[in-house]
Coordinates of all heavy atoms in Angstrom, one line a residue:
M14 N 4.0 20.0 101.0 CA 3.5 21.1 100.1 C 4.0 22.4 100.7 O 4.5 23.2 100.0 CB 2.0 21.0 99.9 CG 1.5 22.2 99.2 SD -0.2 22.2 98.7 CE -1.1 21.9 100.2
N15 N 3.7 22.7 102.0 CA 4.1 23.9 102.6 C 5.6 24.1 102.6 O 6.1 25.2 102.6 CB 3.5 24.0 104.0 CG 2.6 25.2 104.1 OD1 2.5 26.0 103.3 ND2 2.1 25.3 105.3
E16 N 6.3 22.9 102.7 CA 7.8 23.0 102.7 C 8.3 23.5 101.4 O 9.3 24.3 101.4 CB 8.4 21.6 103.0 CG 8.1 21.1 104.4 CD 6.8 20.3 104.4 OE1 6.4 19.8 103.3 OE2 6.2 20.2 105.4
L17 N 7.7 23.1 100.3 CA 8.2 23.6 99.0 C 7.9 25.1 98.8 O 8.8 25.8 98.4 CB 7.5 22.8 97.9 CG 7.9 23.1 96.5 CD1 9.3 22.8 96.2 CD2 7.0 22.4 95.5
I18 N 6.8 25.5 99.3 CA 6.5 27.0 99.2 C 7.4 27.8 100.1 O 8.0 28.8 99.6 CB 5.0 27.3 99.6 CG1 4.1 26.6 98.6 CG2 4.8 28.8 99.7 CD1 2.6 26.7 99.0
Q19 N 7.7 27.3 101.3 CA 8.6 28.0 102.2 C 10.0 28.0 101.6 O 10.7 29.0 101.7 CB 8.5 27.3 103.6 CG 9.3 28.2 104.6 CD 8.7 29.6 104.7 OE1 7.5 29.8 104.7 NE2 9.6 30.5 104.8
Q20 N 10.4 26.9 101.1 CA 11.8 26.8 100.5 C 11.9 27.8 99.3 O 12.9 28.5 99.1 CB 12.1 25.4 100.1 CG 13.6 25.2 99.7 CD 14.5 25.5 100.9 OE1 14.3 25.0 102.0 NE2 15.5 26.3 100.7
F21 N 10.8 27.8 98.5 CA 10.8 28.8 97.3 C 10.9 30.2 97.8 O 11.8 31.0 97.3 CB 9.5 28.6 96.6 CG 9.3 29.7 95.6 CD1 9.9 29.8 94.4 CD2 8.3 30.7 95.8 CE1 9.7 30.8 93.5 CE2 8.1 31.7 94.9 CZ 8.8 31.8 93.7
I22 N 10.1 30.6 98.8 CA 10.2 31.9 99.3 C 11.5 32.3 99.9 O 12.1 33.3 99.7 CB 9.0 32.1 100.4 CG1 7.7 32.0 99.7 CG2 9.2 33.5 101.1 CD1 7.4 33.0 98.7
T23 N 12.1 31.4 100.7 CA 13.4 31.6 101.3 C 14.5 31.7 100.3 O 15.4 32.6 100.4 CB 13.8 30.4 102.2 OG1 12.7 30.3 103.2 CG2 15.1 30.6 102.9
D24 N 14.5 30.9 99.2 CA 15.5 30.9 98.2 C 15.4 32.0 97.2 O 16.4 32.6 96.8 CB 15.5 29.6 97.4 CG 16.0 28.4 98.2 OD1 16.5 28.6 99.4 OD2 15.9 27.2 97.8
E25 N 14.2 32.4 96.9 CA 14.0 33.3 95.7 C 13.7 34.7 96.0 O 13.8 35.6 95.2 CB 12.9 32.7 94.8 CG 13.2 31.2 94.4 CD 14.4 31.0 93.6 OE1 15.1 32.0 93.1 OE2 14.9 29.8 93.5
V26 N 13.2 35.0 97.2 CA 12.8 36.4 97.5 C 14.1 37.1 98.1 O 14.4 36.8 99.3 CB 11.6 36.5 98.5 CG1 11.3 37.9 98.8 CG2 10.4 35.8 97.8
T27 N 14.7 37.9 97.4 CA 15.9 38.7 97.8 C 15.7 40.1 97.4 O 14.8 40.5 96.6 CB 17.1 38.1 97.2 OG1 17.1 38.3 95.8 CG2 17.3 36.7 97.5
A28 N 16.6 41.0 97.8 CA 16.5 42.4 97.4 C 16.7 42.5 95.9 O 16.1 43.4 95.3 CB 17.6 43.2 98.1
L29 N 17.4 41.6 95.2 CA 17.6 41.7 93.8 C 16.4 41.2 93.0 O 16.2 41.7 91.9 CB 18.9 40.9 93.4 CG 20.2 41.4 94.0 CD1 21.3 40.4 93.6 CD2 20.5 42.8 93.4
T30 N 15.7 40.2 93.5 CA 14.6 39.6 92.7 C 13.2 40.0 93.1 O 12.3 39.7 92.4 CB 14.7 38.0 92.8 OG1 14.6 37.7 94.2 CG2 16.0 37.5 92.3
Y31 N 13.1 40.7 94.2 CA 11.8 41.0 94.7 C 10.9 41.7 93.7 O 9.8 41.3 93.4 CB 11.8 41.9 96.0 CG 10.5 42.4 96.5 CD1 9.6 41.5 97.1 CD2 10.1 43.7 96.2 CE1 8.3 42.0 97.5 CE2 8.8 44.1 96.6 CZ 8.0 43.3 97.3 OH 6.7 43.7 97.6
S32 N 11.4 42.8 93.1 CA 10.6 43.6 92.2 C 10.2 42.8 91.0 O 9.0 42.8 90.5 CB 11.3 44.8 91.7 OG 11.5 45.7 92.8
D33 N 11.1 42.0 90.4 CA 10.8 41.2 89.2 C 9.8 40.1 89.5 O 8.9 39.9 88.7 CB 12.1 40.6 88.6 CG 13.0 41.7 88.0 OD1 12.5 42.7 87.6 OD2 14.2 41.4 87.9
L34 N 10.0 39.5 90.6 CA 9.1 38.4 91.0 C 7.7 39.0 91.3 O 6.7 38.4 90.9 CB 9.6 37.7 92.2 CG 8.8 36.5 92.8 CD1 8.7 35.4 91.7 CD2 9.6 35.9 94.0
W35 N 7.7 40.1 92.1 CA 6.4 40.7 92.4 C 5.6 41.1 91.1 O 4.4 40.8 91.0 CB 6.6 41.9 93.3 CG 5.3 42.6 93.6 CD1 4.7 43.6 92.8 CD2 4.4 42.4 94.6 NE1 3.5 44.0 93.4 CE2 3.3 43.2 94.5 CE3 4.4 41.5 95.7 CZ2 2.2 43.2 95.4 CZ3 3.4 41.5 96.6 CH2 2.3 42.4 96.4
N36 N 6.3 41.7 90.2 CA 5.7 42.2 88.9 C 5.2 41.0 88.1 O 4.1 41.1 87.5 CB 6.6 43.1 88.1 CG 6.9 44.4 88.8 OD1 6.1 44.9 89.6 ND2 8.0 45.0 88.5
F37 N 5.9 39.9 88.1 CA 5.5 38.7 87.3 C 4.2 38.2 87.9 O 3.3 37.9 87.2 CB 6.6 37.7 87.3 CG 6.2 36.4 86.7 CD1 6.1 36.3 85.3 CD2 5.9 35.3 87.5 CE1 5.7 35.1 84.7 CE2 5.6 34.1 86.9 CZ 5.4 34.0 85.5
V38 N 4.2 38.0 89.2 CA 3.1 37.4 89.9 C 1.8 38.3 89.8 O 0.7 37.9 89.6 CB 3.4 37.0 91.4 CG1 2.2 36.6 92.1 CG2 4.5 35.9 91.4
N39 N 2.0 39.6 90.1 CA 0.9 40.5 90.2 C 0.3 41.0 88.9 O -0.8 41.4 88.8 CB 1.4 41.8 91.0 CG 0.2 42.6 91.5 OD1 -0.8 42.0 91.9 ND2 0.3 43.9 91.4
S40 N 1.1 40.9 87.8 CA 0.7 41.4 86.5 C -0.6 40.7 85.9 O -0.6 39.5 85.8 CB 1.8 41.3 85.5 OG 1.4 41.7 84.2
N41 N -1.6 41.5 85.6 CA -2.7 40.9 84.9 C -2.5 40.8 83.4 O -3.3 40.2 82.6 CB -4.0 41.7 85.2 CG -4.4 41.5 86.6 OD1 -4.3 40.4 87.2 ND2 -4.9 42.6 87.2
S42 N -1.5 41.5 82.9 CA -1.1 41.5 81.4 C -0.4 40.2 81.1 O -0.5 39.7 79.9 CB -0.2 42.6 81.1 OG -0.8 43.8 81.4
I43 N 0.3 39.5 82.0 CA 0.9 38.2 81.7 C 0.0 37.1 82.1 O -0.3 37.0 83.3 CB 2.2 38.1 82.5 CG1 3.2 39.3 82.2 CG2 2.9 36.8 82.2 CD1 4.4 39.4 83.1
C44 N -0.6 36.4 81.2 CA -1.5 35.3 81.4 C -0.8 34.0 81.6 O -1.3 33.2 82.4 CB -2.5 35.2 80.3 SG -3.6 36.7 80.2
R45 N 0.3 33.8 80.9 CA 1.0 32.6 81.0 C 2.5 32.9 80.8 O 2.9 33.8 80.1 CB 0.6 31.6 79.9 CG -0.7 31.1 80.1 CD -1.1 30.1 79.0 NE -2.5 29.9 79.1 CZ -3.1 28.7 78.8 NH1 -2.3 27.7 78.3 NH2 -4.3 28.5 78.9
G46 N 3.3 32.1 81.5 CA 4.8 32.3 81.4 C 5.5 31.6 82.5 O 4.9 31.0 83.4
T47 N 6.8 31.8 82.6 CA 7.6 31.2 83.6 C 8.6 32.2 84.2 O 9.0 33.1 83.4 CB 8.4 30.0 83.1 OG1 9.3 30.4 82.1 CG2 7.5 28.9 82.7
F48 N 8.9 32.1 85.4 CA 9.9 32.9 86.1 C 10.9 31.9 86.7 O 10.6 31.1 87.5 CB 9.3 33.7 87.2 CG 10.2 34.6 87.9 CD1 10.4 35.9 87.5 CD2 11.0 34.2 89.0 CE1 11.3 36.8 88.1 CE2 11.8 35.0 89.7 CZ 12.0 36.3 89.2
E49 N 12.1 32.0 86.2 CA 13.2 31.1 86.6 C 14.0 31.7 87.7 O 14.7 32.8 87.4 CB 14.0 30.6 85.5 CG 15.0 29.5 85.8 CD 15.6 28.9 84.6 OE1 15.1 29.0 83.5 OE2 16.7 28.3 84.8
G50 N 14.0 31.2 88.9 CA 14.8 31.7 89.9 C 16.1 30.9 90.0 O 16.5 30.2 89.1
N51 N 16.8 31.0 91.1 CA 18.1 30.3 91.3 C 17.9 28.8 91.5 O 18.6 28.0 90.9 CB 18.8 30.8 92.5 CG 19.3 32.2 92.4 OD1 19.6 32.6 91.3 ND2 19.2 33.0 93.4
N52 N 16.8 28.4 92.2 CA 16.6 27.0 92.6 C 15.2 26.5 92.2 O 14.9 25.3 92.2 CB 16.8 26.7 94.0 CG 18.2 27.0 94.5 OD1 19.2 26.7 93.8 ND2 18.3 27.7 95.6
H53 N 14.3 27.4 91.8 CA 12.9 27.1 91.6 C 12.4 27.7 90.3 O 12.9 28.8 89.8 CB 12.0 27.5 92.7 CG 12.3 26.9 94.0 ND1 13.3 27.3 94.8 CD2 11.7 25.8 94.6 CE1 13.3 26.5 95.9 NE2 12.4 25.6 95.8
I54 N 11.4 27.1 89.7 CA 10.7 27.7 88.6 C 9.2 27.9 89.0 O 8.6 27.1 89.7 CB 10.7 26.8 87.3 CG1 12.2 26.8 86.9 CG2 9.8 27.3 86.3 CD1 12.4 25.9 85.6
I55 N 8.7 29.1 88.6 CA 7.3 29.4 88.9 C 6.6 29.5 87.5 O 7.0 30.4 86.7 CB 7.1 30.6 89.8 CG1 5.6 30.9 90.1 CG2 7.8 31.8 89.3 CD1 5.4 31.9 91.2
M56 N 5.6 28.7 87.3 CA 4.8 28.8 86.1 C 3.5 29.5 86.3 O 2.8 29.1 87.2 CB 4.6 27.4 85.5 CG 5.8 26.6 85.0 SD 5.4 25.0 84.5 CE 4.0 25.2 83.4
K57 N 3.2 30.5 85.5 CA 1.9 31.1 85.6 C 1.0 30.4 84.6 O 1.3 30.5 83.4 CB 2.1 32.6 85.2 CG 0.9 33.5 85.6 CD 1.2 34.9 85.4 CE 0.2 35.8 86.1 NZ 0.6 37.2 86.1
I58 N 0.0 29.7 85.1 CA -0.9 29.0 84.2 C -2.2 29.7 83.9 O -2.9 29.4 83.0 CB -1.2 27.6 84.7 CG1 -1.7 27.6 86.1 CG2 0.1 26.7 84.7 CD1 -2.2 26.3 86.7
S59 N -2.5 30.8 84.7 CA -3.6 31.7 84.4 C -3.2 33.0 85.2 O -2.2 33.0 85.9 CB -4.9 31.1 84.9 OG -5.0 31.1 86.3
S60 N -4.1 33.9 85.1 CA -3.7 35.2 85.8 C -3.8 35.0 87.3 O -3.2 35.8 88.0 CB -4.7 36.3 85.4 OG -6.0 36.0 85.7
N61 N -4.4 33.9 87.9 CA -4.5 33.8 89.3 C -4.0 32.5 89.8 O -4.1 32.2 91.0 CB -6.0 33.9 89.7 CG -6.5 35.3 89.6 OD1 -5.8 36.3 89.9 ND2 -7.7 35.4 89.0
Q62 N -3.3 31.6 89.0 CA -2.8 30.3 89.5 C -1.4 30.1 89.0 O -1.0 30.4 87.8 CB -3.7 29.2 88.9 CG -5.1 29.2 89.6 CD -5.8 28.0 89.1 OE1 -5.7 27.6 88.0 NE2 -6.6 27.5 90.0
F63 N -0.6 29.5 89.9 CA 0.8 29.3 89.7 C 1.2 27.9 90.1 O 0.7 27.4 91.1 CB 1.7 30.3 90.5 CG 1.4 31.7 90.1 CD1 0.3 32.4 90.7 CD2 2.1 32.4 89.1 CE1 0.0 33.7 90.4 CE2 1.8 33.7 88.8 CZ 0.8 34.4 89.4
I64 N 2.2 27.3 89.4 CA 2.8 26.1 89.8 C 4.2 26.3 90.1 O 4.9 26.9 89.3 CB 2.7 25.0 88.7 CG1 1.2 24.7 88.4 CG2 3.5 23.7 89.1 CD1 1.1 23.7 87.2
I65 N 4.7 25.9 91.3 CA 6.1 26.1 91.7 C 6.7 24.7 91.9 O 6.1 23.8 92.4 CB 6.1 26.8 93.1 CG1 5.5 28.2 93.0 CG2 7.5 26.9 93.6 CD1 5.3 28.9 94.3
Y66 N 7.9 24.6 91.3 CA 8.7 23.3 91.5 C 10.2 23.7 91.4 O 10.6 24.7 91.0 CB 8.3 22.3 90.4 CG 8.6 22.8 88.9 CD1 9.7 22.5 88.3 CD2 7.6 23.5 88.3 CE1 10.0 22.9 87.0 CE2 7.8 23.9 87.0 CZ 9.0 23.6 86.3 OH 9.2 24.0 85.0
R67 N 11.0 22.7 92.0 CA 12.4 22.9 92.0 C 13.0 22.6 90.7 O 12.6 21.8 90.0 CB 13.0 22.0 93.1 CG 12.8 22.4 94.5 CD 13.6 21.6 95.5 NE 15.0 21.6 95.4 CZ 15.8 22.6 95.7 NH1 15.3 23.7 96.3 NH2 17.1 22.5 95.5
I68 N 14.1 23.3 90.4 CA 14.9 23.0 89.2 C 15.7 21.7 89.5 O 16.4 21.7 90.5 CB 15.9 24.1 88.8 CG1 15.1 25.4 88.5 CG2 16.8 23.8 87.7 CD1 15.9 26.6 88.3
C69 N 15.6 20.7 88.7 CA 16.3 19.4 88.9 C 17.1 19.2 87.7 O 16.7 19.2 86.5 CB 15.3 18.3 89.1 SG 14.4 18.4 90.6
L70 N 18.4 18.8 87.9 CA 19.3 18.4 86.9 C 19.2 16.9 86.7 O 19.0 16.2 87.7 CB 20.7 18.9 87.2 CG 20.9 20.3 87.4 CD1 22.4 20.6 87.8 CD2 20.6 21.1 86.2
G71 N 19.4 16.4 85.5 CA 19.2 15.0 85.3 C 17.8 14.6 85.2 O 17.5 13.5 85.8
M72 N 16.9 15.3 84.6 CA 15.5 15.0 84.6 C 15.2 13.8 83.7 O 14.1 13.3 83.8 CB 14.7 16.2 84.0 CG 14.7 17.4 84.9 SD 13.7 17.2 86.3 CE 12.1 17.1 85.6
E73 N 16.1 13.2 83.0 CA 15.7 12.1 82.1 C 15.3 10.9 82.8 O 14.5 10.1 82.3 CB 16.9 11.8 81.1 CG 18.2 11.4 81.8 CD 19.1 12.5 82.2 OE1 18.8 13.7 81.8 OE2 20.0 12.3 83.0
N74 N 15.7 10.6 84.1 CA 15.3 9.5 84.8 C 14.3 9.8 85.9 O 14.0 9.0 86.7 CB 16.6 8.8 85.4 CG 17.4 8.2 84.4 OD1 16.9 7.7 83.3 ND2 18.7 8.2 84.6
T75 N 13.8 11.0 86.0 CA 12.9 11.4 87.0 C 11.5 11.1 86.6 O 11.0 11.5 85.6 CB 13.0 12.9 87.3 OG1 14.4 13.2 87.6 CG2 12.1 13.4 88.4
K76 N 10.8 10.3 87.5 CA 9.4 10.0 87.2 C 8.5 10.8 88.0 O 7.3 10.9 87.7 CB 9.2 8.5 87.6 CG 10.0 7.6 86.7 CD 9.7 6.1 87.0 CE 10.5 5.2 86.1 NZ 10.3 3.8 86.4
Y77 N 9.0 11.4 89.1 CA 8.1 12.2 90.0 C 8.9 13.4 90.4 O 10.1 13.3 90.8 CB 7.7 11.3 91.2 CG 7.3 12.1 92.4 CD1 6.1 12.6 92.5 CD2 8.2 12.2 93.5 CE1 5.7 13.3 93.6 CE2 7.8 12.9 94.6 CZ 6.5 13.4 94.7 OH 6.2 14.1 95.8
Q78 N 8.2 14.5 90.5 CA 8.8 15.8 91.0 C 7.8 16.5 91.8 O 6.6 16.7 91.3 CB 9.3 16.6 89.8 CG 10.1 17.9 90.3 CD 10.6 18.7 89.2 OE1 10.5 18.3 88.1 NE2 11.3 19.8 89.5
E79 N 8.2 16.9 93.0 CA 7.2 17.6 93.8 C 6.9 19.0 93.3 O 7.8 19.7 92.9 CB 7.8 17.7 95.2 CG 6.9 18.3 96.2 CD 7.4 18.3 97.6 OE1 8.6 17.9 97.8 OE2 6.7 18.8 98.5
A80 N 5.6 19.3 93.2 CA 5.2 20.7 92.8 C 4.0 21.1 93.6 O 3.4 20.3 94.2 CB 4.9 20.6 91.3
V81 N 3.7 22.4 93.5 CA 2.6 22.9 94.3 C 1.8 23.9 93.5 O 2.4 24.7 92.7 CB 3.0 23.4 95.6 CG1 3.9 24.6 95.5 CG2 1.9 23.8 96.5
L82 N 0.5 23.9 93.5 CA -0.4 24.9 92.9 C -0.7 25.9 93.9 O -1.2 25.6 95.0 CB -1.6 24.2 92.4 CG -2.7 25.1 91.7 CD1 -2.1 25.6 90.4 CD2 -3.9 24.3 91.4
V83 N -0.5 27.2 93.6 CA -0.7 28.3 94.5 C -1.5 29.4 93.8 O -1.4 29.7 92.7 CB 0.7 28.9 94.9 CG1 0.5 30.0 95.9 CG2 1.6 27.8 95.4
S84 N -2.4 30.0 94.6 CA -3.2 31.2 94.1 C -2.3 32.5 94.2 O -1.4 32.6 94.9 CB -4.4 31.3 94.9 OG -4.1 31.9 96.2
K85 N -2.7 33.4 93.4 CA -2.0 34.7 93.3 C -2.0 35.4 94.6 O -0.9 35.8 95.1 CB -2.7 35.6 92.2 CG -2.1 36.9 92.0 CD -2.9 37.7 91.0 CE -2.4 39.0 90.7 NZ -3.2 39.7 89.6
T86 N -3.1 35.6 95.3 CA -3.1 36.3 96.5 C -2.3 35.7 97.6 O -1.5 36.4 98.3 CB -4.6 36.5 97.0 OG1 -5.3 37.1 96.0 CG2 -4.7 37.3 98.3
Y87 N -2.4 34.4 97.7 CA -1.6 33.7 98.7 C -0.1 33.8 98.5 O 0.7 34.1 99.4 CB -1.9 32.2 98.7 CG -1.2 31.3 99.7 CD1 -1.5 31.4 101.1 CD2 -0.1 30.5 99.3 CE1 -0.9 30.6 102.0 CE2 0.6 29.8 100.3 CZ 0.2 29.8 101.6 OH 0.9 29.1 102.5
L88 N 0.3 33.7 97.2 CA 1.7 33.8 96.8 C 2.2 35.3 97.1 O 3.3 35.4 97.6 CB 1.9 33.4 95.4 CG 3.4 33.4 94.9 CD1 4.2 32.5 95.7 CD2 3.4 32.9 93.4
L89 N 1.4 36.3 96.8 CA 1.9 37.6 97.0 C 2.0 37.9 98.5 O 2.9 38.6 98.9 CB 0.8 38.6 96.4 CG 0.8 38.7 94.9 CD1 -0.3 39.6 94.5 CD2 2.1 39.2 94.3
K90 N 1.1 37.3 99.3 CA 1.3 37.5 100.8 C 2.5 36.8 101.3 O 3.2 37.4 102.2 CB 0.1 36.9 101.5 CG -1.2 37.7 101.4 CD -2.4 37.0 102.1 CE -3.6 37.8 101.9 NZ -4.8 37.2 102.6
K91 N 2.9 35.6 100.8 CA 4.1 35.0 101.2 C 5.3 35.8 100.8 O 6.3 35.9 101.5 CB 4.2 33.6 100.6 CG 3.2 32.6 101.2 CD 3.6 32.4 102.7 CE 3.2 31.0 103.2 NZ 3.6 30.8 104.5
I92 N 5.3 36.3 99.5 CA 6.5 37.1 99.0 C 6.7 38.3 99.9 O 7.8 38.7 100.3 CB 6.2 37.5 97.6 CG1 6.3 36.3 96.7 CG2 7.2 38.6 97.1 CD1 5.9 36.5 95.2
N93 N 5.5 39.0 100.2 CA 5.7 40.2 101.1 C 6.1 39.9 102.5 O 6.8 40.7 103.2 CB 4.3 41.0 101.1 CG 4.3 42.0 100.0 OD1 5.2 42.2 99.3 ND2 3.2 42.8 100.0
S94 N 5.6 38.7 103.0 CA 6.1 38.3 104.4 C 7.6 38.2 104.4 O 8.2 38.7 105.4 CB 5.4 37.0 104.7 OG 5.8 36.5 105.9
M95 N 8.2 37.6 103.4 CA 9.6 37.5 103.4 C 10.3 38.9 103.2 O 11.3 39.1 103.8 CB 10.1 36.5 102.3 CG 11.6 36.3 102.3 SD 12.4 35.8 103.8 CE 12.0 34.1 103.8
A96 N 9.7 39.7 102.4 CA 10.2 41.0 102.1 C 10.3 41.8 103.4 O 11.2 42.6 103.7 CB 9.4 41.7 101.0
Y97 N 9.2 41.7 104.2 CA 9.2 42.4 105.5 C 10.3 41.9 106.4 O 10.9 42.6 107.2 CB 7.8 42.3 106.2 CG 6.8 43.3 105.6 CD1 5.7 42.8 104.9 CD2 7.0 44.7 105.8 CE1 4.8 43.7 104.4 CE2 6.1 45.6 105.2 CZ 5.0 45.1 104.5 OH 4.1 46.0 104.0
Q98 N 10.5 40.5 106.5 CA 11.5 39.9 107.3 C 12.9 40.4 106.9 O 13.8 40.6 107.7 CB 11.5 38.4 107.2 CG 10.4 37.8 107.9 CD 10.4 36.3 107.8 OE1 11.3 35.7 107.1 NE2 9.5 35.6 108.4
L99 N 13.1 40.6 105.6 CA 14.4 41.1 105.1 C 14.6 42.6 105.1 O 15.6 43.1 104.8 CB 14.6 40.6 103.6 CG 14.6 39.1 103.4 CD1 14.6 38.8 101.9 CD2 15.8 38.5 104.1
H100 N 13.5 43.3 105.5 CA 13.5 44.8 105.6 C 13.8 45.4 104.3 O 14.6 46.3 104.2 CB 14.5 45.3 106.7 CG 14.3 44.7 108.1 ND1 13.2 45.1 108.8 CD2 14.9 43.8 108.8 CE1 13.2 44.4 110.0 NE2 14.3 43.6 110.0
L101 N 13.2 44.9 103.2 CA 13.4 45.4 101.9 C 12.7 46.8 101.7 O 11.7 47.0 102.4 CB 12.9 44.5 100.8 CG 13.5 43.1 100.8 CD1 12.9 42.2 99.7 CD2 15.0 43.2 100.6
E102 N 13.2 47.6 100.9 CA 12.6 48.9 100.6 C 11.6 48.7 99.5 O 11.6 47.7 98.7 CB 13.6 49.9 100.1 CG 14.6 50.2 101.2 CD 15.7 51.2 100.7 OE1 15.5 51.9 99.7 OE2 16.7 51.4 101.4
D103 N 10.6 49.6 99.3 CA 9.7 49.6 98.2 C 8.8 48.3 98.2 O 8.6 47.8 97.1 CB 10.3 49.8 96.9 CG 11.1 51.1 96.8 OD1 10.6 52.1 97.4 OD2 12.1 51.2 96.1
I104 N 8.3 47.9 99.3 CA 7.4 46.7 99.4 C 6.1 47.1 98.8 O 5.5 48.1 99.2 CB 7.3 46.2 100.8 CG1 8.7 45.6 101.3 CG2 6.3 45.1 100.9 CD1 8.8 45.2 102.7
Q105 N 5.6 46.4 97.9 CA 4.3 46.7 97.2 C 3.1 46.3 98.1 O 3.2 45.4 98.9 CB 4.3 45.9 95.9 CG 5.4 46.2 95.0 CD 5.4 47.7 94.5 OE1 4.3 48.2 94.2 NE2 6.5 48.3 94.5
N106 N 2.0 47.0 97.8 CA 0.7 46.7 98.5 C 0.0 45.7 97.6 O -0.2 45.9 96.4 CB 0.0 48.0 98.7 CG -1.3 47.8 99.5 OD1 -1.6 46.7 99.8 ND2 -1.9 48.9 99.9
I107 N -0.6 44.6 98.3 CA -1.3 43.6 97.5 C -2.6 44.1 96.9 O -3.0 43.7 95.9 CB -1.6 42.4 98.5 CG1 -0.3 41.7 98.9 CG2 -2.6 41.4 97.8 CD1 -0.5 40.7 99.9
L108 N -3.2 45.1 97.6 CA -4.5 45.6 97.1 C -4.4 46.6 96.0 O -5.4 47.0 95.4 CB -5.3 46.2 98.3 CG -5.5 45.3 99.4 CD1 -6.2 46.0 100.6 CD2 -6.4 44.0 99.0
D109 N -3.2 47.1 95.6 CA -3.0 48.1 94.5 C -3.3 47.4 93.2 O -3.0 46.3 92.9 CB -1.7 48.7 94.6 CG -1.5 49.7 95.7 OD1 -2.6 50.0 96.3 OD2 -0.4 50.0 96.1

């Protein structure tokens, strides 16, 4: 489970996607929706819960796919952790 979250953060948090990803996760106006990254999809199932899974091609024969349920605060902390490692500008505050 932690490997999937770590892989998501590593693959999807970049200088180009940080703001869009942060706004999608942090927004209270968006109650449901999806954010499609390069290798992962994040589904917002409520204002505080998300499902993350890898994009898989050839889904017709797939019976099982690893996914993880993540809370909003935990996900925002993970996103910011990677943003600090990458020395991105305009890092958002979780408490705002």
Side-chain angles (χ1 to χ4, degrees):
M14 173 171 54
N15 239 356
E16 297 87 25
L17 182 63
I18 295 171
Q19 190 58 43
Q20 191 63 49
F21 168 76
I22 296 299
T23 303
D24 291 350
E25 307 300 342
V26 178
T27 65
L29 297 174
T30 61
Y31 173 77
S32 293
D33 292 336
L34 182 58
W35 177 271
N36 291 334
F37 175 75
V38 172
N39 195 43
S40 175
N41 289 324
S42 301
I43 302 171
C44 294
R45 293 179 188 213
T47 59
F48 182 92
E49 189 169 335
N51 295 326
N52 299 316
H53 296 82
I54 292 180
I55 180 169
M56 291 177 51
K57 191 171 200 175
I58 56 175
S59 72
S60 61
N61 291 318
Q62 292 184 324
F63 301 85
I64 296 175
I65 300 172
Y66 60 94
R67 287 189 55 80
I68 297 172
C69 292
L70 301 175
M72 291 291 292
E73 59 275 351
N74 293 326
T75 303
K76 294 182 181 181
Y77 159 77
Q78 183 175 0
E79 188 177 0
V81 63
L82 180 67
V83 183
S84 71
K85 177 180 180 176
T86 304
Y87 181 78
L88 186 55
L89 289 174
K90 287 179 181 178
K91 287 295 210 179
I92 291 169
N93 268 2
S94 177
M95 180 56 78
Y97 282 114
Q98 284 181 0
L99 297 172
H100 304 289
L101 300 182
E102 295 180 15
D103 300 328
I104 297 174
Q105 302 294 316
N106 188 349
I107 295 174
L108 302 175
D109 286 345

